[in-house]
Amino acid sequence: MNKTYNFAFFDEGSKREIRRATLKAIAIPGYQVPFASREMPIGRGWGTGGLQLTLSLIGKDDVLKVIDQGSDESVNAVNIKKLVSDTTGVRTTESTADASLIQSRHRVPEVPLQRDQILILQVPLPEPLRNFEPSEQETKKLHAEREYSGAWLMLFEQIMKYGIMATDADHPVMVHDRYVMAPSPIPRFDNAKLDDSEALILLGAGREKKVYALPPYTNVSSLAFDDYAFEIESFTNHACILCGSNDLFLDELVDGESGETYFQCNDTSNCLEMVNQKQISGVK
Amino acid sequence: MSVLEVPVLSVKQLNKQYGNGCSTCNYMKLGKVTKNYCHECGTVYACRGVTFDLHHGEVLGIVGESGSGKSTLMKSLYFDEEVTDGDMYVAGFEDGKKNLFMESAQKKRFVRNHLMGKVYQNPILGLKMNFSSIGNIAEKLISAGNRHVGSMETRGAELLEAVNIPIHRMKEEPRNFSGGMQQRVQIAKALSNNPPILLLDEVTTGLDLSVQASVLDLIKGLQRDLNISIVLVSHDLGVIRMLADRTLVMLEGKVIEQGLTDQILEDPQHSYTQQLVHSLL
């Protein structure tokens, strides 16, 4: 552990400021709380919001997992893990079930979260109405007055243009029938995992200087029309080439040599666990 | 018309000033201002004690020179601007007994979304130029609580047809349209949830004569068919003569004369109105 820095990189005042914003965010589910986003040793837009939440919350007994689009081993995830463990000395893990603190970019893990876990999502654009209304002053008013026609209008436009709601990721959700919230660019497949979650979910946007939260057991529903229901990505007739799962979120990949496409689990640690389990039961 | 008929819209003593005022100009009636501008503190008194009633199915014209407060009045009525003081009652809201200017922003928004439609002089203010025309109409329907794509699409197509926009262009953005077409999309949007009150702010200004005529025709037709009440602002007396049943003349933020349109145009009383009518080509 690197002793040149204070525990968890930040000075205590910074941690307190971020925790204060976090507490407010938890008290008002789905409401974007502005906070004094710090300069970080990584660039803004590379997960600084999530990292600041992680650093302000982490304690000596925590076990940390960092995921970057489902992968534990991508450069971003590895570097964030290194920074945190170097300045705190906490243990890191790849298993979702073992972790007490999970920082993630654009995915909610496939293994259901438990009540003593905290999921931290990195958010690039926290404002669900931004494409509809460029002014922050105006969007604040719209949130205050619960005026969300803009969010529905953007979905309506997609239906007019493409015949379906074409949000790949970041499909807006209504939190506890009050605030419309950007769930960070998680696939629509993961939206359902936010609803009534047992774990606390925190969302941090470092560049946009906002923190928001979904406390455990919050109602989260994806926006939809009466005649156009919300639909998740479908992987019918496809299964993971490694573990054989067909009910999880899969990536479509192309074999460089044969040019054929195949599917593989997006959540790498879960896939590995499934493969291991199979081999163990195979040995029996 | 029954004697007890309540006006659809009633405005009493509406004042709107930009600036805080000072001891020189503070007393509305006694204060020293040049036109409606105070030289001491730079305060502009845009609307001063404007009072009028709008009845069911009536077209009320408002004329006046540039800077007379017409547009400020319209902005205040549509809650785009907060008034300094005054009362406004709308028949469809709490039986017309509550002063809307004193209500919360949510209540104002409700009235705006459910009971009013507005067509701005500049289409950029009234339309989202980077959303499709049908989307623009849907915006108004969505804010009034509609969550059914099919019904909104049918209603939108119906309205665009009514304002002579070809249906095959309904998914196009209004920024691709000509000024007259944009204005007609705005009218379709304003009418989408059958508002009892329609506010038209210089709808034909800047359009060429043939398009002007078709837009006016459209407004007249819609007004007759749907029996809506319209407040129509214009500095073009021809437009007022054609559409308005009753007319207010504004000057320096005040209503200086009001009456039946024919009466105002044939027998103007105030010297400004006389000048205005005489300068009609």
Side-chain angles (χ1 to χ4, degrees):
Chain A
M1 186 183 152
N2 189 341
K3 296 267 186 188
T4 347
Y5 293 102
N6 188 27
F7 179 79
F9 185 75
F10 281 141
D11 58 291
E12 294 304 316
S14 297
K15 284 194 240 174
R16 210 171 298 138
E17 148 66 12
I18 299 164
R19 283 183 211 137
R20 201 159 32 214
T22 311
L23 279 174
K24 180 169 177 182
I26 295 167
I28 320 172
Y31 172 74
Q32 301 164 48
V33 182
F35 80 111
S37 182
R38 307 285 147 160
E39 287 294 336
M40 301 295 294
I42 56 174
R44 283 194 168 156
W46 292 83
T48 51
L51 186 55
Q52 288 180 72
L53 285 172
T54 303
L55 291 173
S56 73
L57 290 173
I58 203 160
K60 282 187 175 133
D61 303 328
D62 273 313
V63 181
L64 178 73
K65 172 182 165 78
V66 181
I67 333 167
D68 180 1
Q69 293 219 302
S71 166
D72 291 86
E73 287 146 12
S74 87
V75 180
N76 210 6
V78 170
N79 281 334
I80 289 176
K81 252 186 285 196
K82 265 191 197 159
L83 175 74
V84 179
S85 68
D86 197 34
T87 54
T88 60
V90 302
R91 192 160 65 84
T92 60
T93 179
E94 296 197 350
S95 147
T96 305
D98 287 349
S100 61
L101 215 53
I102 305 167
Q103 181 178 336
S104 170
R105 170 174 178 256
H106 307 182
R107 265 325 291 282
V108 178
E110 302 286 7
V111 179
L113 299 171
Q114 306 298 319
R115 52 182 291 183
D116 49 356
Q117 291 181 312
I118 299 177
L119 175 68
I120 294 164
L121 289 166
Q122 301 169 196
V123 185
L125 293 169
E127 179 51 70
L129 298 171
R130 184 58 71 232
N131 288 335
F132 169 76
E133 173 55 64
S135 151
E136 173 74 10
Q137 197 182 357
E138 289 305 312
T139 50
K140 270 191 176 249
K141 271 187 218 156
L142 296 176
H143 281 291
E145 293 171 18
R146 202 172 171 274
E147 169 58 48
Y148 289 122
S149 340
W152 262 281
L153 179 61
M154 286 187 278
L155 298 174
F156 180 88
E157 281 286 291
Q158 291 167 3
I159 294 173
M160 285 299 112
K161 271 194 189 131
Y162 311 111
I164 49 159
M165 290 193 279
T167 44
D168 280 345
D170 214 356
H171 186 98
V173 292
M174 175 67 92
V175 179
H176 239 75
D177 211 27
R178 176 61 184 85
Y179 287 101
V180 164
M181 183 190 95
S184 86
I186 55 173
R188 280 171 286 150
F189 186 87
D190 286 349
N191 273 18
K193 295 182 195 160
L194 302 180
D195 183 31
D196 218 20
S197 157
E198 283 189 27
L200 169 64
I201 301 173
L202 301 175
L203 299 99
R207 185 185 53 198
E208 304 288 325
K209 305 182 178 69
K210 293 282 170 64
V211 169
Y212 50 109
L214 296 171
Y217 308 108
T218 305
N219 296 334
V220 178
S221 57
S222 306
L223 297 193
F225 288 99
D226 294 347
D227 51 345
Y228 280 81
F230 172 75
E231 279 173 4
I232 61 168
E233 293 86 353
S234 105
F235 302 99
T236 346
N237 302 328
H238 296 295
C240 172
I241 197 168
L242 301 175
C243 70
S245 310
N246 56 6
D247 53 351
L248 302 179
F249 190 79
L250 304 177
D251 285 333
E252 188 177 3
L253 302 167
V254 181
D255 188 306
E257 280 171 20
S258 66
E260 278 173 28
T261 58
Y262 61 96
F263 287 80
Q264 191 180 318
C265 276
N266 175 270
D267 187 337
T268 51
S269 72
N270 182 57
C271 188
L272 193 65
E273 272 168 31
M274 304 276 267
V275 172
N276 287 341
Q277 248 172 27
K278 250 193 216 158
Q279 278 171 350
I280 291 164
S281 56
V283 169
K284 270 182 204 167
Chain B
M1 195 190 283
S2 101
V3 189
L4 295 169
E5 195 194 13
V6 263
V8 181
L9 168 73
S10 176
V11 175
K12 294 197 169 68
Q13 291 298 323
L14 185 153
N15 290 313
K16 171 72 189 172
Q17 67 186 60
Y18 297 94
N20 294 326
C22 61
S23 52
T24 322
C25 62
N26 241 345
Y27 302 100
M28 287 278 186
K29 282 177 186 128
L30 305 168
K32 257 180 72 182
V33 284
T34 318
K35 287 205 160 193
N36 53 2
Y37 177 82
C38 171
H39 278 290
E40 283 296 315
C41 62
T43 299
V44 174
Y45 292 92
C47 292
R48 296 192 274 182
V50 177
T51 301
F52 67 86
D53 284 343
L54 176 70
H55 290 276
H56 184 67
E58 181 186 41
V59 181
L60 179 69
I62 299 179
V63 285
E65 59 185 7
S66 307
S68 60
K70 308 185 295 288
S71 287
T72 304
L73 175 64
M74 294 299 260
K75 281 182 201 153
S76 307
L77 296 182
Y78 203 53
F79 313 114
D80 286 335
E81 299 242 7
E82 202 136 314
V83 295
T84 311
D85 53 64
D87 294 4
M88 170 172 168
Y89 305 93
V90 169
F93 176 76
E94 308 262 348
D95 289 330
K97 291 201 176 71
K98 283 228 167 125
N99 178 9
L100 263 168
F101 290 141
M102 299 299 283
E103 292 294 327
S104 66
Q106 283 95 328
K107 293 265 173 70
K108 285 180 184 167
R109 206 180 275 279
F110 174 87
V111 170
R112 197 179 137 125
N113 289 340
H114 291 80
L115 304 174
M116 286 183 177
K118 180 169 180 186
V119 180
Y120 292 83
Q121 174 175 3
N122 189 341
I124 288 173
L125 296 174
L127 296 175
K128 298 259 171 206
M129 287 296 171
N130 50 349
F131 283 84
S132 65
S133 304
I134 186 101
N136 269 292
I137 295 172
E139 186 191 0
K140 186 95 181 160
L141 293 166
I142 292 170
S143 27
N146 195 326
R147 293 287 180 273
H148 194 278
V149 176
S151 76
M152 285 192 280
E153 200 177 351
T154 324
R155 175 80 181 137
E158 201 178 283
L159 283 161
L160 288 174
E161 184 126 60
V163 298
N164 294 319
I165 303 276
I167 295 300
H168 61 267
R169 297 193 73 177
M170 74 178 188
K171 289 182 185 171
E172 214 171 305
E173 290 96 355
R175 65 162 172 236
N176 296 352
F177 291 173
S178 71
M181 277 173 92
Q182 290 178 348
Q183 213 56 304
R184 281 179 281 152
V185 174
Q186 260 208 96
I187 295 173
K189 178 180 185 175
L191 288 171
S192 58
N193 44 8
N194 292 323
I197 303 168
L198 189 59
L199 307 173
L200 305 177
D201 191 358
E202 307 264 16
V203 272
T204 55
T205 311
L207 303 180
D208 71 73
L209 284 177
S210 61
V211 178
Q212 254 189 43
S214 75
V215 170
L216 293 177
D217 248 8
L218 172 73
I219 294 169
K220 190 77 197 160
L222 291 168
Q223 190 262 332
R224 217 171 5 218
D225 294 346
L226 305 171
N227 211 15
I228 40 185
S229 315
I230 299 179
V231 181
L232 171 82
V233 160
S234 185
H235 53 235
D236 183 345
L237 285 178
V239 174
I240 296 288
R241 188 201 294 276
M242 178 178 159
L243 289 177
D245 303 316
R246 218 151 50 81
T247 298
L248 309 182
V249 184
M250 284 184 77
L251 181 68
E252 294 163 16
K254 289 185 203 148
V255 177
I256 51 165
E257 190 166 355
Q258 56 179 308
L260 296 174
T261 305
D262 290 341
Q263 192 186 335
I264 299 268
L265 293 179
E266 298 303 325
D267 183 19
Q269 301 294 307
H270 193 278
S271 60
Y272 169 73
T273 320
Q274 289 168 357
Q275 190 195 345
L276 188 75
V277 172
H278 284 138
S279 45
L280 184 60
L281 295 173

PDB file of all heavy atoms in Angstrom, chain B residues 157-177:
ATOM      1  N   ALA B 157     -51.791  13.303 -38.102  1.00  0.00           N
ATOM      2  CA  ALA B 157     -51.983  13.251 -39.553  1.00  0.00           C
ATOM      3  C   ALA B 157     -53.240  14.021 -39.948  1.00  0.00           C
ATOM      4  O   ALA B 157     -53.247  14.785 -40.912  1.00  0.00           O
ATOM      5  CB  ALA B 157     -52.080  11.801 -40.000  1.00  0.00           C
ATOM      6  N   GLU B 158     -54.291  13.832 -39.143  1.00  0.00           N
ATOM      7  CA  GLU B 158     -55.562  14.524 -39.363  1.00  0.00           C
ATOM      8  C   GLU B 158     -55.365  16.045 -39.365  1.00  0.00           C
ATOM      9  O   GLU B 158     -55.827  16.754 -40.247  1.00  0.00           O
ATOM     10  CB  GLU B 158     -56.446  14.116 -38.191  1.00  0.00           C
ATOM     11  CG  GLU B 158     -57.915  14.236 -38.305  1.00  0.00           C
ATOM     12  CD  GLU B 158     -58.518  13.714 -36.998  1.00  0.00           C
ATOM     13  OE1 GLU B 158     -58.569  12.477 -36.827  1.00  0.00           O
ATOM     14  OE2 GLU B 158     -58.881  14.541 -36.130  1.00  0.00           O
ATOM     15  N   LEU B 159     -54.597  16.525 -38.359  1.00  0.00           N
ATOM     16  CA  LEU B 159     -54.389  17.961 -38.228  1.00  0.00           C
ATOM     17  C   LEU B 159     -53.532  18.508 -39.351  1.00  0.00           C
ATOM     18  O   LEU B 159     -53.804  19.568 -39.900  1.00  0.00           O
ATOM     19  CB  LEU B 159     -53.716  18.272 -36.885  1.00  0.00           C
ATOM     20  CG  LEU B 159     -54.637  18.220 -35.683  1.00  0.00           C
ATOM     21  CD1 LEU B 159     -53.824  18.068 -34.421  1.00  0.00           C
ATOM     22  CD2 LEU B 159     -55.482  19.474 -35.608  1.00  0.00           C
ATOM     23  N   LEU B 160     -52.477  17.773 -39.709  1.00  0.00           N
ATOM     24  CA  LEU B 160     -51.601  18.250 -40.774  1.00  0.00           C
ATOM     25  C   LEU B 160     -52.372  18.306 -42.090  1.00  0.00           C
ATOM     26  O   LEU B 160     -52.170  19.192 -42.903  1.00  0.00           O
ATOM     27  CB  LEU B 160     -50.377  17.342 -40.892  1.00  0.00           C
ATOM     28  CG  LEU B 160     -49.374  17.495 -39.741  1.00  0.00           C
ATOM     29  CD1 LEU B 160     -48.267  16.463 -39.858  1.00  0.00           C
ATOM     30  CD2 LEU B 160     -48.777  18.892 -39.719  1.00  0.00           C
ATOM     31  N   GLU B 161     -53.270  17.348 -42.260  1.00  0.00           N
ATOM     32  CA  GLU B 161     -54.133  17.369 -43.436  1.00  0.00           C
ATOM     33  C   GLU B 161     -54.994  18.629 -43.422  1.00  0.00           C
ATOM     34  O   GLU B 161     -55.131  19.318 -44.429  1.00  0.00           O
ATOM     35  CB  GLU B 161     -55.023  16.120 -43.430  1.00  0.00           C
ATOM     36  CG  GLU B 161     -55.899  15.988 -44.659  1.00  0.00           C
ATOM     37  CD  GLU B 161     -55.699  14.636 -45.318  1.00  0.00           C
ATOM     38  OE1 GLU B 161     -55.961  13.630 -44.630  1.00  0.00           O
ATOM     39  OE2 GLU B 161     -55.279  14.611 -46.484  1.00  0.00           O
ATOM     40  N   ALA B 162     -55.535  18.936 -42.241  1.00  0.00           N
ATOM     41  CA  ALA B 162     -56.407  20.108 -42.114  1.00  0.00           C
ATOM     42  C   ALA B 162     -55.672  21.400 -42.449  1.00  0.00           C
ATOM     43  O   ALA B 162     -56.265  22.348 -42.948  1.00  0.00           O
ATOM     44  CB  ALA B 162     -56.991  20.185 -40.714  1.00  0.00           C
ATOM     45  N   VAL B 163     -54.364  21.465 -42.146  1.00  0.00           N
ATOM     46  CA  VAL B 163     -53.620  22.693 -42.442  1.00  0.00           C
ATOM     47  C   VAL B 163     -52.845  22.575 -43.749  1.00  0.00           C
ATOM     48  O   VAL B 163     -51.898  23.327 -44.003  1.00  0.00           O
ATOM     49  CB  VAL B 163     -52.659  23.090 -41.295  1.00  0.00           C
ATOM     50  CG1 VAL B 163     -53.430  23.375 -40.033  1.00  0.00           C
ATOM     51  CG2 VAL B 163     -51.617  22.021 -41.061  1.00  0.00           C
ATOM     52  N   ASN B 164     -53.239  21.602 -44.573  1.00  0.00           N
ATOM     53  CA  ASN B 164     -52.664  21.455 -45.914  1.00  0.00           C
ATOM     54  C   ASN B 164     -51.166  21.159 -45.955  1.00  0.00           C
ATOM     55  O   ASN B 164     -50.436  21.681 -46.781  1.00  0.00           O
ATOM     56  CB  ASN B 164     -52.932  22.704 -46.756  1.00  0.00           C
ATOM     57  CG  ASN B 164     -54.397  22.875 -47.044  1.00  0.00           C
ATOM     58  OD1 ASN B 164     -55.077  21.886 -47.336  1.00  0.00           O
ATOM     59  ND2 ASN B 164     -54.897  24.091 -46.923  1.00  0.00           N
ATOM     60  N   ILE B 165     -50.698  20.358 -45.021  1.00  0.00           N
ATOM     61  CA  ILE B 165     -49.323  19.854 -45.124  1.00  0.00           C
ATOM     62  C   ILE B 165     -49.459  18.436 -45.685  1.00  0.00           C
ATOM     63  O   ILE B 165     -50.192  17.625 -45.136  1.00  0.00           O
ATOM     64  CB  ILE B 165     -48.638  19.771 -43.736  1.00  0.00           C
ATOM     65  CG1 ILE B 165     -48.632  21.117 -43.023  1.00  0.00           C
ATOM     66  CG2 ILE B 165     -47.232  19.192 -43.858  1.00  0.00           C
ATOM     67  CD1 ILE B 165     -47.534  22.053 -43.380  1.00  0.00           C
ATOM     68  N   PRO B 166     -48.755  18.131 -46.789  1.00  0.00           N
ATOM     69  CA  PRO B 166     -48.889  16.789 -47.359  1.00  0.00           C
ATOM     70  C   PRO B 166     -48.489  15.714 -46.347  1.00  0.00           C
ATOM     71  O   PRO B 166     -47.469  15.864 -45.666  1.00  0.00           O
ATOM     72  CB  PRO B 166     -47.927  16.802 -48.544  1.00  0.00           C
ATOM     73  CG  PRO B 166     -47.369  18.159 -48.649  1.00  0.00           C
ATOM     74  CD  PRO B 166     -47.841  18.993 -47.520  1.00  0.00           C
ATOM     75  N   ILE B 167     -49.301  14.652 -46.254  1.00  0.00           N
ATOM     76  CA  ILE B 167     -49.075  13.616 -45.245  1.00  0.00           C
ATOM     77  C   ILE B 167     -47.718  12.937 -45.418  1.00  0.00           C
ATOM     78  O   ILE B 167     -47.069  12.568 -44.445  1.00  0.00           O
ATOM     79  CB  ILE B 167     -50.203  12.551 -45.317  1.00  0.00           C
ATOM     80  CG1 ILE B 167     -51.540  13.188 -44.932  1.00  0.00           C
ATOM     81  CG2 ILE B 167     -49.917  11.370 -44.405  1.00  0.00           C
ATOM     82  CD1 ILE B 167     -51.576  13.770 -43.542  1.00  0.00           C
ATOM     83  N   HIS B 168     -47.256  12.828 -46.676  1.00  0.00           N
ATOM     84  CA  HIS B 168     -45.969  12.151 -46.863  1.00  0.00           C
ATOM     85  C   HIS B 168     -44.785  12.947 -46.326  1.00  0.00           C
ATOM     86  O   HIS B 168     -43.673  12.459 -46.263  1.00  0.00           O
ATOM     87  CB  HIS B 168     -45.760  11.782 -48.338  1.00  0.00           C
ATOM     88  CG  HIS B 168     -45.737  12.977 -49.258  1.00  0.00           C
ATOM     89  ND1 HIS B 168     -46.853  13.439 -49.895  1.00  0.00           N
ATOM     90  CD2 HIS B 168     -44.742  13.799 -49.611  1.00  0.00           C
ATOM     91  CE1 HIS B 168     -46.537  14.511 -50.611  1.00  0.00           C
ATOM     92  NE2 HIS B 168     -45.264  14.741 -50.450  1.00  0.00           N
ATOM     93  N   ARG B 169     -45.032  14.206 -45.918  1.00  0.00           N
ATOM     94  CA  ARG B 169     -43.930  14.979 -45.328  1.00  0.00           C
ATOM     95  C   ARG B 169     -44.061  15.113 -43.810  1.00  0.00           C
ATOM     96  O   ARG B 169     -43.328  15.880 -43.194  1.00  0.00           O
ATOM     97  CB  ARG B 169     -43.880  16.375 -45.961  1.00  0.00           C
ATOM     98  CG  ARG B 169     -43.583  16.318 -47.452  1.00  0.00           C
ATOM     99  CD  ARG B 169     -43.236  17.677 -47.991  1.00  0.00           C
ATOM    100  NE  ARG B 169     -41.905  18.104 -47.566  1.00  0.00           N
ATOM    101  CZ  ARG B 169     -41.354  19.262 -47.971  1.00  0.00           C
ATOM    102  NH1 ARG B 169     -42.007  20.070 -48.756  1.00  0.00           N
ATOM    103  NH2 ARG B 169     -40.145  19.588 -47.548  1.00  0.00           N
ATOM    104  N   MET B 170     -44.988  14.361 -43.205  1.00  0.00           N
ATOM    105  CA  MET B 170     -45.256  14.594 -41.782  1.00  0.00           C
ATOM    106  C   MET B 170     -44.098  14.158 -40.882  1.00  0.00           C
ATOM    107  O   MET B 170     -43.956  14.641 -39.769  1.00  0.00           O
ATOM    108  CB  MET B 170     -46.549  13.919 -41.342  1.00  0.00           C
ATOM    109  CG  MET B 170     -46.495  12.423 -41.200  1.00  0.00           C
ATOM    110  SD  MET B 170     -48.086  11.831 -40.616  1.00  0.00           S
ATOM    111  CE  MET B 170     -47.728  10.132 -40.312  1.00  0.00           C
ATOM    112  N   LYS B 171     -43.263  13.254 -41.374  1.00  0.00           N
ATOM    113  CA  LYS B 171     -42.141  12.829 -40.529  1.00  0.00           C
ATOM    114  C   LYS B 171     -40.891  13.667 -40.768  1.00  0.00           C
ATOM    115  O   LYS B 171     -39.823  13.394 -40.240  1.00  0.00           O
ATOM    116  CB  LYS B 171     -41.852  11.349 -40.767  1.00  0.00           C
ATOM    117  CG  LYS B 171     -42.955  10.476 -40.186  1.00  0.00           C
ATOM    118  CD  LYS B 171     -42.716   9.019 -40.344  1.00  0.00           C
ATOM    119  CE  LYS B 171     -43.934   8.255 -39.846  1.00  0.00           C
ATOM    120  NZ  LYS B 171     -43.858   6.831 -40.152  1.00  0.00           N
ATOM    121  N   GLU B 172     -41.036  14.704 -41.569  1.00  0.00           N
ATOM    122  CA  GLU B 172     -39.900  15.576 -41.848  1.00  0.00           C
ATOM    123  C   GLU B 172     -39.805  16.664 -40.772  1.00  0.00           C
ATOM    124  O   GLU B 172     -40.823  17.068 -40.211  1.00  0.00           O
ATOM    125  CB  GLU B 172     -40.110  16.212 -43.220  1.00  0.00           C
ATOM    126  CG  GLU B 172     -38.833  16.429 -43.991  1.00  0.00           C
ATOM    127  CD  GLU B 172     -39.140  16.851 -45.427  1.00  0.00           C
ATOM    128  OE1 GLU B 172     -39.870  16.136 -46.130  1.00  0.00           O
ATOM    129  OE2 GLU B 172     -38.639  17.906 -45.805  1.00  0.00           O
ATOM    130  N   GLU B 173     -38.585  17.163 -40.534  1.00  0.00           N
ATOM    131  CA  GLU B 173     -38.435  18.229 -39.543  1.00  0.00           C
ATOM    132  C   GLU B 173     -38.917  19.555 -40.127  1.00  0.00           C
ATOM    133  O   GLU B 173     -38.691  19.813 -41.305  1.00  0.00           O
ATOM    134  CB  GLU B 173     -36.966  18.383 -39.135  1.00  0.00           C
ATOM    135  CG  GLU B 173     -36.407  17.249 -38.325  1.00  0.00           C
ATOM    136  CD  GLU B 173     -35.673  16.231 -39.181  1.00  0.00           C
ATOM    137  OE1 GLU B 173     -35.689  16.379 -40.418  1.00  0.00           O
ATOM    138  OE2 GLU B 173     -35.098  15.282 -38.601  1.00  0.00           O
ATOM    139  N   PRO B 174     -39.536  20.386 -39.298  1.00  0.00           N
ATOM    140  CA  PRO B 174     -40.040  21.674 -39.800  1.00  0.00           C
ATOM    141  C   PRO B 174     -38.929  22.582 -40.329  1.00  0.00           C
ATOM    142  O   PRO B 174     -39.205  23.503 -41.086  1.00  0.00           O
ATOM    143  CB  PRO B 174     -40.700  22.314 -38.579  1.00  0.00           C
ATOM    144  CG  PRO B 174     -40.833  21.261 -37.575  1.00  0.00           C
ATOM    145  CD  PRO B 174     -39.893  20.166 -37.907  1.00  0.00           C
ATOM    146  N   ARG B 175     -37.673  22.334 -39.949  1.00  0.00           N
ATOM    147  CA  ARG B 175     -36.617  23.229 -40.446  1.00  0.00           C
ATOM    148  C   ARG B 175     -36.464  23.105 -41.957  1.00  0.00           C
ATOM    149  O   ARG B 175     -35.901  23.979 -42.598  1.00  0.00           O
ATOM    150  CB  ARG B 175     -35.292  22.972 -39.729  1.00  0.00           C
ATOM    151  CG  ARG B 175     -34.718  21.611 -39.983  1.00  0.00           C
ATOM    152  CD  ARG B 175     -33.245  21.516 -39.649  1.00  0.00           C
ATOM    153  NE  ARG B 175     -32.886  20.098 -39.755  1.00  0.00           N
ATOM    154  CZ  ARG B 175     -32.336  19.392 -38.798  1.00  0.00           C
ATOM    155  NH1 ARG B 175     -32.016  19.966 -37.672  1.00  0.00           N
ATOM    156  NH2 ARG B 175     -32.082  18.111 -38.968  1.00  0.00           N
ATOM    157  N   ASN B 176     -36.959  21.998 -42.540  1.00  0.00           N
ATOM    158  CA  ASN B 176     -36.906  21.837 -43.998  1.00  0.00           C
ATOM    159  C   ASN B 176     -38.048  22.547 -44.700  1.00  0.00           C
ATOM    160  O   ASN B 176     -38.097  22.560 -45.915  1.00  0.00           O
ATOM    161  CB  ASN B 176     -36.985  20.347 -44.370  1.00  0.00           C
ATOM    162  CG  ASN B 176     -35.789  19.574 -43.859  1.00  0.00           C
ATOM    163  OD1 ASN B 176     -34.847  20.168 -43.370  1.00  0.00           O
ATOM    164  ND2 ASN B 176     -35.839  18.260 -43.977  1.00  0.00           N
ATOM    165  N   PHE B 177     -38.985  23.078 -43.921  1.00  0.00           N
ATOM    166  CA  PHE B 177     -40.182  23.647 -44.518  1.00  0.00           C
ATOM    167  C   PHE B 177     -40.024  25.138 -44.775  1.00  0.00           C
ATOM    168  O   PHE B 177     -39.197  25.811 -44.176  1.00  0.00           O
ATOM    169  CB  PHE B 177     -41.389  23.451 -43.581  1.00  0.00           C
ATOM    170  CG  PHE B 177     -41.838  22.017 -43.442  1.00  0.00           C
ATOM    171  CD1 PHE B 177     -42.826  21.690 -42.523  1.00  0.00           C
ATOM    172  CD2 PHE B 177     -41.284  21.014 -44.217  1.00  0.00           C
ATOM    173  CE1 PHE B 177     -43.253  20.381 -42.384  1.00  0.00           C
ATOM    174  CE2 PHE B 177     -41.704  19.704 -44.083  1.00  0.00           C
ATOM    175  CZ  PHE B 177     -42.688  19.378 -43.157  1.00  0.00           C
TER     176      PHE B 177
END
